[in-house]
Amino acid sequence: MKLHAELRERGFTGSYSVVRDYLQSFRRTPNDTPPPRPPGVRKVTGWITRNPDRVSDDDRQKLKAILARCPELEAATGHVRSFAAMMAIRSADRLPEWIAAARADQSHGLRAFADGLMADLDAVVLGLSTEWSSGCVEGRVTDIKLLKRQMAGRAGHPLLRKRVLLLAADRRQHRVTTTAAP
């Protein structure tokens, strides 16, 4: 009734029953099942970045339907998967070819990423071609930054030092218990 009154104020000359009958097609009964929600951005990103062998058949079909409706996303998916394959086999010699292909294709948002790789190409090639990793160091740096943010300048160096050492000991203990488990 409120909608009919608002429509009348705007010049609608039809009766209340016309509005009611029109809106009836949009109403659901309690027995109706709600329409399925489309997958979220994170879920679709997970399907794209995950190894295709580890995506369920149902999720693969959903991704295929999404990619069929969005050619830009399909192009990005091809580039992401080829980059992941290159990283998996540590093939630094294929990197310039991948960067050139990603920069030439204007239909996706990976051009800035490819430009960033080009800007520091020597480091990226070295990272792809060596088996060494600085992941442990990066993890510790992240821990320290998190502790500093949590304390927000409220404590001095001795407390920060103590918390860093305790966190490192906890991480080391966690690593020992998880690697010792069968």
Side-chain angles (χ1 to χ4, degrees):
M1 289 182 14
K2 287 182 182 179
L3 181 60
H4 180 257
E6 288 180 28
L7 291 172
R8 294 288 298 222
E9 289 174 8
R10 294 178 180 218
F12 179 70
T13 59
S15 67
Y16 168 75
S17 61
V18 171
V19 175
R20 183 195 62 213
D21 293 344
Y22 176 75
L23 292 177
Q24 188 63 34
S25 64
F26 296 105
R27 292 194 175 124
R28 290 196 321 239
T29 64
N31 296 333
D32 288 346
T33 58
R37 294 184 60 175
V41 173
R42 286 182 185 225
K43 188 170 287 284
V44 174
T45 302
W47 295 339
I48 291 171
T49 57
R50 194 175 305 134
N51 184 339
D53 298 335
R54 295 186 178 180
V55 178
S56 70
D57 290 335
D58 184 43
D59 291 344
R60 192 176 293 121
Q61 291 301 320
K62 290 176 184 175
L63 178 62
K64 188 176 179 181
I66 290 169
L67 296 180
R69 291 190 303 252
C70 183
E72 296 87 1
L73 190 57
E74 187 171 17
T77 300
H79 289 295
V80 166
R81 290 199 170 152
S82 64
F83 187 80
M86 181 177 51
M87 286 185 62
I89 61 172
R90 295 189 173 275
S91 178
D93 54 330
R94 291 175 36 192
L95 183 63
E97 176 185 324
W98 184 89
I99 291 173
R103 292 176 82 194
D105 191 356
Q106 298 293 325
S107 66
H108 58 77
L110 294 174
R111 183 175 174 87
F113 176 68
D115 290 342
L117 292 177
M118 251 341 253
D120 204 8
L121 187 62
D122 293 337
V124 176
V125 168
L126 187 62
L128 275 175
S129 59
T130 183
E131 64 186 59
W132 299 101
S133 171
S134 63
C136 294
V137 174
E138 294 295 330
R140 299 290 182 194
V141 169
T142 301
D143 289 343
I144 292 169
K145 287 180 178 180
L146 176 66
L147 287 174
K148 283 183 70 174
R149 276 194 301 274
Q150 286 175 341
M151 293 172 23
R154 292 186 295 260
H157 184 267
L159 180 59
L160 177 61
R161 180 180 183 279
K162 186 170 189 166
R163 288 191 68 190
V164 167
L165 292 175
L166 286 172
L167 182 62
D170 183 52
R171 298 263 186 202
R172 192 171 23 259
Q173 180 62 34
H174 180 71
R175 187 183 72 225
V176 168
T177 58
T178 55
T179 55

